[in-house]
Amino acid sequence: MRKRIYWLLPNVASARRTMDDMLLARIDERHMHFVGREDIKLSGLRAANILQTSDVVRAAQVGALIGAVLGSAAGIVVSWYLPVAGEPPQGVWVVVLAMVGLAFGTWVSSMIGVSTPSQRLRRFEQAIQQGQILLMVDVPQGRVEEIESRLQTLHPEAHLEGVEPNIPAFP
């Protein structure tokens, strides 16, 4: 299980030094994600991807739930009012339409979520627009205090912005 630590760094140079220190602490590069203003070049840093900067995952989850519920409701209506020759089990309609609703709801909602900024990162928008760099580092649960202490010691210019207890497994 991993936890996500958020750090605000004043500039790209500080972000590069922080990444180097994280690598020395044996935090793999794929567990570090940097977010900066669009006009700032994050070359040499692992920029956060669309899954981490948008609400696509949350939107897909909500869409899947709503789609499955509406599909099930449609399946119940169809099985109730549509007689089928040979009388196969009417529950098939509920399952089939629930699956179709789930797939359709997931797809449509994820298309909307891709264009929506992440609610998790909303509190950092102002700092990022001012030119600061956000570091999201995913560390094993048992190393959170060690990594926080290391960064506070080596990078007094950085600001710890908290730990997220439940990072999404997907991004």
Side-chain angles (χ1 to χ4, degrees):
M1 188 68 162
R2 292 186 173 273
K3 293 191 181 261
R4 179 167 286 168
I5 306 172
Y6 293 99
W7 285 86
L8 277 174
L9 305 159
N11 53 42
V12 175
S14 176
R16 285 193 183 106
R17 288 191 308 272
T18 302
M19 184 181 81
D20 291 341
D21 289 330
M22 289 292 91
L23 290 171
L24 289 172
R26 299 196 185 281
I27 300 296
D28 193 28
E29 186 177 353
R30 67 188 169 100
H31 295 296
M32 291 181 268
H33 318 285
F34 293 89
V35 180
R37 205 171 53 210
E38 288 186 26
D39 63 326
I40 295 177
K41 302 274 189 221
L42 294 177
S43 58
L45 299 173
R46 184 179 177 92
N49 63 30
I50 195 79
L51 295 174
Q52 293 146 348
T53 58
S54 72
D55 251 357
V56 67
V57 173
R58 188 182 70 78
Q61 291 170 339
V62 170
L65 178 64
I66 292 170
V69 167
L70 292 177
S72 296
I76 290 169
V77 169
V78 168
S79 68
W80 186 266
Y81 290 107
L82 185 65
V84 179
E87 296 297 324
Q90 298 295 313
V92 170
W93 283 109
V94 176
V95 173
V96 168
L97 289 177
M99 297 304 287
V100 169
L102 180 128
F104 185 72
T106 302
W107 176 67
V108 169
S109 294
S110 65
M111 293 298 112
I112 295 168
V114 150
S115 63
T116 307
S118 173
Q119 299 228 355
R120 296 172 187 262
L121 303 184
R122 187 160 285 146
R123 64 185 168 136
F124 304 113
E125 282 179 2
Q126 184 177 3
I128 291 170
Q129 289 306 315
Q130 292 173 353
Q132 294 184 44
I133 308 296
L134 174 66
L135 165 61
M136 299 178 283
V137 60
D138 303 333
V139 299
Q141 190 170 353
R143 295 192 65 197
V144 170
E145 290 180 21
E146 169 199 343
I147 297 301
E148 285 178 356
S149 175
R150 180 181 181 93
L151 283 176
Q152 287 173 341
T153 302
L154 296 174
H155 298 279
E157 77 279 8
H159 297 282
L160 174 64
E161 294 295 326
V163 177
E164 189 167 335
N166 299 316
I167 63 168
F170 204 92

